[in-house]
Amino acid sequence: RQRWRADGRTLRKLPVHVGLVVTEEEPSYADMASLVVWCMAVGISYVSVYDHNGIFKRNNSRLMDEILKQQQELLGLDCSKYTVEFANHSKTGQVLNCQSTLKVLSPEDGKADIVKAAQNFCHLVAQQQRTHSDLDVNMLDNLLSSTNGFPDPDLVLKFGPVDSTLGFLPWHIRLTEIISLPSHLNISYEDFFSALHHYAACEQRWGK
C-alpha cells in the first residue's frame, strides 16, 4: 500500500483523470478492477472505464463488486459505503469513497452526447435564451452530460490491438496523451506503472 502511494509521489507529473479504454472483445472485470484500484492507490483523482460494446456499463454492479473486493484486499480500505457515478444516469448510484471518482462510459456517452448537447443549444437559441454567438468551447463543455464534473482526461490507456479509441469521449481527448498497451488481460502493476512513468516523462506541446 505504501509502495503504491510512494510510487505516485516519485512521478514528475501524475494525471488527474485517466481513461481506461478496452478495445478487446472479451473484457475482464477482475483485470479492469485491478487497474481502477491501482489508479486510486497512486493518487489519481478521476477514472473513466470504457469499452466499445458498453459491457462494463451494462454490468456496472458486477464491476463495482470486483472493485470493492480488490479495494479491501489490496488496500485494506473500509469501502462498505461507496458510490459510483454512471454517465447520463440521473439516479444516485454508488460512489467510491477512496479519494477517487469513477465513471463507467459507453459509446452513447461520446458522439451521441455531443449531438444531444447541440440539440439542447439549438433549443436555447430557439427560446431566445442564447444566441448563436454564445457557442464556444466552455459552453459546449457545460452542455455535455457524460463528463459533468470531470476534467478532460490527461491520459488514456488503450488496451488491445485496435489502433483507435473507438468513440471514447471524442470531444474531450483533443489534448490527451494516449498510450497503447497490448492487452488488459493479466496486466501487471509494473506494466501499469511503466505507462504512468512514460506519461510523466513526455513533453506536451499543446499543439505548438
Side-chain angles (χ1 to χ4, degrees), residues 28-30 32-34 36-37 40 47 49 55-72 79-86 93-98 100-105:
S28 165
Y29 294 89
M32 181 52 67
S34 294
V36 171
V37 172
M40 296 174 187
V47 183
V49 171
I55 296 173
F56 285 131
K57 188 171 181 179
R58 286 197 305 274
N59 301 281
N60 50 58
S61 59
R62 180 177 172 186
L63 177 62
M64 283 313 305
D65 287 344
E66 188 64 41
I67 291 172
L68 256 192
K69 173 185 171 185
Q70 294 200 33
Q71 279 180 318
Q72 293 162 344
C79 295
S80 55
K81 294 181 180 179
Y82 67 99
T83 54
V84 141
E85 295 183 32
F86 299 104
Q94 301 167 319
V95 171
L96 298 172
N97 186 24
C98 304
S100 296
T101 307
L102 171 71
K103 282 196 176 182
V104 183
L105 303 171

Side-chain angles (χ1 to χ4, degrees), residues 46 85 103 144-145 147-151:
Y46 299 92
E85 295 183 32
K103 282 196 176 182
L144 294 170
S145 61
T147 53
N148 187 28
F150 262 49

Side-chain angles (χ1 to χ4, degrees), residues 15 17-21 151-158 165 168-179 199 202 204 206-207:
H17 178 188
V18 170
L20 303 173
V21 177
D152 289 349
D154 308 286
L155 171 65
V156 164
L157 299 181
K158 182 192 71 67
T165 54
F168 172 74
L169 298 181
W171 170 256
H172 304 81
I173 60 172
R174 54 199 183 278
L175 300 174
T176 300
E177 188 72 20
I178 300 174
I179 296 176
Y199 167 80
C202 74
Q204 292 171 291
W206 313 115

Side-chain angles (χ1 to χ4, degrees), residues 64-163:
M64 283 313 305
D65 287 344
E66 188 64 41
I67 291 172
L68 256 192
K69 173 185 171 185
Q70 294 200 33
Q71 279 180 318
Q72 293 162 344
E73 290 178 356
L74 300 179
L75 302 182
L77 297 173
D78 179 11
C79 295
S80 55
K81 294 181 180 179
Y82 67 99
T83 54
V84 141
E85 295 183 32
F86 299 104
N88 292 340
H89 283 221
S90 57
K91 66 179 183 179
T92 302
Q94 301 167 319
V95 171
L96 298 172
N97 186 24
C98 304
Q99 299 179 326
S100 296
T101 307
L102 171 71
K103 282 196 176 182
V104 183
L105 303 171
S106 66
E108 68 189 40
D109 304 308
K111 291 181 180 179
D113 195 32
I114 296 174
V115 171
K116 182 179 177 183
Q119 291 172 337
N120 289 340
F121 180 76
C122 290
H123 180 72
L124 292 173
V125 172
Q127 297 294 317
Q128 298 184 337
Q129 298 178 40
R130 294 286 181 181
T131 67
H132 68 277
S133 60
D134 291 332
L135 185 60
D136 58 15
V137 171
N138 292 329
M139 171 67 72
L140 183 55
D141 281 339
N142 291 333
L143 289 169
L144 294 170
S145 61
S146 62
T147 53
N148 187 28
F150 262 49
D152 289 349
D154 308 286
L155 171 65
V156 164
L157 299 181
K158 182 192 71 67
F159 303 97
V162 181
D163 191 20

